[in-house]
Amino acid sequence: MKPPTDAALARQHSGEPPPVAGRPGTRTNRPGNANVAEVNRQIAELVDRSTHELRLAWRQLHRTGPPQGLSRDLLIRALANQLQEWIHGRASGALRRRLQTLAGEFERGGASFDPGVVLKTGTTLVRQWRGHAHTVLVREDGFEYEGERYRSLTVIAERITGAHWSGPRFFGLTKRPGTSAGAEAGR
């Protein structure tokens, strides 16, 4: 979303939602004079917009409609996040990957995951499985295994074993009581 202009105010009075900027987080479309207070005001105003206007704003941002079943509350939160990314920048790939891993472990009740383990881009993980060494390269936007990109270690572990595995556990990144992270990797 852009800071309001006279044209934007005219659209607002016509019932059309305010314009939405290009994809947030890229350095090329970040405004040089963006005002944090203005973005905070726009976020607060999202609650007052109709669901139809929120869906149009989503469509302008993502060039597709919002996912089916996405509640109004989540739609507002997602658009607010986009505004925040637009002004403050996007989280690094490593941070997004770490948060995604933590969220996945939390959902599965995996309290054994050691959140202190941070995989740096370029790190290589090796796991022996049924007589074969499997190598995974940590990338900025996920993981690479056998020339293909994946967003999670769990998907790779499932591909290797043919069964559901926790990716961090399979690659020895979990911490069991009385052991250190990585101690299981030699098993």
Side-chain angles (χ1 to χ4, degrees), residues 40-55:
N40 288 338
R41 183 191 62 75
Q42 288 181 11
I43 290 171
E45 288 177 354
L46 287 173
V47 176
D48 297 329
R49 292 172 105 181
S50 71
T51 303
H52 178 72
E53 289 176 329
L54 294 170
R55 289 181 182 278

Side-chain angles (χ1 to χ4, degrees), residues 114 174-184 187:
D114 182 5
T174 58
K175 188 174 183 179
R176 288 187 176 174
T179 64
S180 61
E184 296 178 20
R187 290 185 169 190

Side-chain angles (χ1 to χ4, degrees), residues 98-99 101-102 105 110-120 168 172-175 180-182:
R98 182 171 181 211
L99 290 172
T101 301
L102 288 172
E105 288 297 316
S112 63
F113 180 69
D114 182 5
V117 174
V118 177
L119 300 175
K120 293 184 179 180
L173 302 175
T174 58
K175 188 174 183 179
S180 61

Side-chain angles (χ1 to χ4, degrees), residues 136-137 139 143-150 156 159:
V136 174
L137 180 63
R139 295 279 190 188
F143 304 94
E144 184 176 319
Y145 173 67
E146 293 185 341
E148 292 184 43
R149 299 263 174 124
Y150 296 87
I156 297 170
R159 179 171 170 207

Side-chain angles (χ1 to χ4, degrees), residues 6-39:
D6 290 335
L9 289 174
R11 272 191 291 277
Q12 192 172 26
H13 291 295
S14 71
E16 186 178 328
V20 177
R23 296 199 184 277
T26 61
R27 300 211 184 272
T28 57
N29 68 356
R30 259 202 215 156
N33 59 354
N35 183 338
V36 174
E38 174 63 20
V39 170

